[in-house]
């Protein structure tokens, strides 16, 4: 894959086809139908559906990296709030719900698929390290009290991921707001130094940047 | 389904068949093969694979209720520790990993399947209410400081579920211990009244009761 425009077109088509068909039922033809290219041209670029999905997971990881970089300029408390709301509330419309369902199907393949698992592990690593950095920076600037950023990051990622999966599979919308409120009351308020407050609500990701579909998902990877 | 022995045999067979084949690939024949009954006798008791799975989700819920009842005699701090370790560490051998993978496949169907979603919602409700009770009892006995048990229960369920799914799909074993340690350091130690300590480790569910496969899973529902 050398032409970035062709790759971007195929990646956008893959995103749209996943929203429409889910992962399990997805065919190369479904993806080709979302481009002005033929299925055979798709297989000129990718040897298999698996190859294409592995590259799509790379593409999502690039979006995650971009988003994390965008957060850098804010102070640690604001960065923590931006990270949590981006990762928690990514799924804010019907299309993103479909995309998250497709991603959950794909993640369910990971125990049997080394290449998917490898990509998802890279994404997990990236997210946990980004959160750890935010917490470490906050300890350094004395915005947060001293604590263990590595474990706290793992807990936050697990809690947000769990809340999203339960909201999605149970259609119990309250999960997201309840878990955010509990994160603030039970964890962030305890972490914050006396002088600081945790933001009630941050600007939603779609308000910050609505240029790209995949950019606003906050999904794994 | 009137004969409880026949039902128990079919339920055990369903558990074993799910461990061996996963949910997506599961056929009625796979389940019949785990019993001394024919596939046609299975369909005498259940109209479809979906019907059987709905009853299996009921069966799991009965196991959850039994487990929750077993915890009742302990004091609130001990009950919280037992609940967390049961729900977090259910997956402690290869077979249970396979079962959890099958359950994740099944949960992925819930956005499209009203009957599965309904069963999973009942299970979610049961688990959250059980945790809320433990937290409320702890507030009443002054073992825990005053807080919002409903939101805290949602956070704990989401965090433990998220940790298990990430451990399972990423094969990153550290998730379980990291999240438990962070729950203790960041949440439980803050909730506990001055005089109380959170147990480092509780007796594992398999030590408490290894009579039944499904009983020890700590799975949804």
């Amino acid at each position: 894959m050398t032409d970035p425009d062709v790759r971007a077109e195929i990646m956008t088509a893959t995103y749209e086809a996943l929203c429409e068909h889910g992962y399990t039922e997805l065919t190369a033809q479904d993806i080709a139908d979302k481009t002005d290219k033929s299925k055979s041209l798709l297989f000129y670029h990718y040897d298999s559906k698996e190859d294409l999905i592995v590259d799509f997971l790379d593409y999502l990881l690039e979006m995650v990296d971009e988003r994390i970089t965008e957060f850098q300029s804010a102070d640690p408390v604001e960065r923590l709030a931006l990270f949590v709301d981006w990762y928690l509330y990514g799924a804010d419309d019907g299309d993103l719900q479909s995309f998250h369902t497709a991603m959950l199907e794909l993640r369910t393949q990971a125990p049997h698929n080394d290449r998917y698992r490898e990509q998802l592990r890279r994404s997990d690593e990236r997210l946990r390290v980004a959160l750890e950095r935010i917490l470490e920076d906050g300890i350094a600037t004395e915005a947060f009290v001293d604590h263990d950023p590595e474990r706290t990051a793992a807990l936050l990622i697990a809690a947000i991921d769990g809340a999203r999966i339960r909201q999605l599979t149970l259609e119990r919308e309250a999960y997201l707001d309840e878990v955010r409120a509990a994160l603030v009351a039970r964890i962030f308020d305890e972490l914050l130094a006396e002088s600081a407050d945790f933001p009630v609500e941050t600007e939603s990701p779609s308000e910050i940047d609505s240029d790209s579909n995949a950019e606003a998902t906050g999904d794994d990877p």
Side-chain angles (χ1 to χ4, degrees), chain A:
Chain A
M1 179 61 56
T2 47
D3 185 335
D5 289 345
V6 175
R7 180 183 183 240
E9 187 189 358
I10 297 175
M11 295 295 103
T12 303
T14 304
Y15 173 83
E16 290 170 2
L18 279 169
C19 289
E20 192 170 324
H21 304 282
Y23 168 77
T24 312
E25 308 283 323
L26 187 73
T27 65
Q29 188 61 56
D30 295 330
I31 298 172
D33 288 347
K34 300 286 179 189
T35 69
D36 55 10
K37 301 189 170 27
S38 68
K39 195 175 86 173
S40 56
L41 195 76
L42 219 60
F43 284 120
Y44 172 80
H45 294 292
Y46 297 99
D47 288 338
S48 63
K49 174 183 160 184
E50 184 182 290
D51 265 0
L52 195 156
I53 293 294
V54 167
D55 192 37
F56 182 69
L57 293 173
D58 248 336
Y59 173 77
L60 290 183
L61 193 50
E62 292 159 22
M63 300 294 134
V64 166
D65 283 342
E66 274 181 33
R67 179 49 56 106
I68 288 170
T69 308
E70 275 173 40
F71 293 162
Q72 299 289 356
S73 56
D75 69 70
V77 176
E78 182 73 10
R79 273 158 69 203
L80 180 59
L82 284 167
F83 188 103
V84 166
D85 287 350
W86 162 68
Y87 194 40
L88 187 63
Y89 291 112
D92 60 358
D93 69 24
D95 229 31
L96 286 175
Q97 291 281 13
S98 308
F99 183 62
H100 280 106
T101 306
M103 286 300 296
L104 188 58
E105 289 177 39
L106 196 158
R107 291 171 67 188
T108 305
Q109 301 300 310
H112 318 294
N113 186 315
D114 295 344
R115 296 178 70 200
Y116 290 177
R117 194 167 64 248
E118 183 55 38
Q119 292 291 68
L120 294 170
R121 286 176 69 107
R122 285 175 59 212
S123 158
D124 172 66
E125 180 77 18
R126 212 72 65 96
L127 290 169
R128 280 186 295 108
V129 167
L131 252 183
E132 269 175 64
R133 289 277 151 73
I134 294 172
L135 296 170
E136 282 163 2
D137 288 354
I139 294 170
T141 61
E142 298 183 349
F144 301 135
V145 298
D146 197 17
H147 65 283
D148 184 334
E150 194 177 335
R151 286 174 175 174
T152 305
L155 171 59
L156 297 179
I157 297 285
I160 295 173
D161 192 24
R164 293 192 323 172
I165 291 173
R166 297 184 83 83
Q167 175 262 337
L168 187 72
T169 55
L170 306 172
E171 290 188 2
R172 187 171 175 278
E173 297 306 318
Y175 250 114
L176 300 185
D177 289 345
E178 277 176 8
V179 167
R180 189 189 192 278
L183 284 174
V184 173
R186 300 266 60 78
I187 302 184
F188 299 149
D189 282 352
E190 302 290 346
L191 282 184
L192 285 176
E194 294 290 326
S195 54
D197 278 319
F198 196 77
V200 177
E201 219 177 292
T202 59
E203 211 181 356
S204 84
S206 56
E207 284 159 12
I208 297 175
D209 179 351
S210 56
D211 291 350
S212 153
N213 284 324
E215 217 157 340
T217 62
D219 213 312
D220 288 270

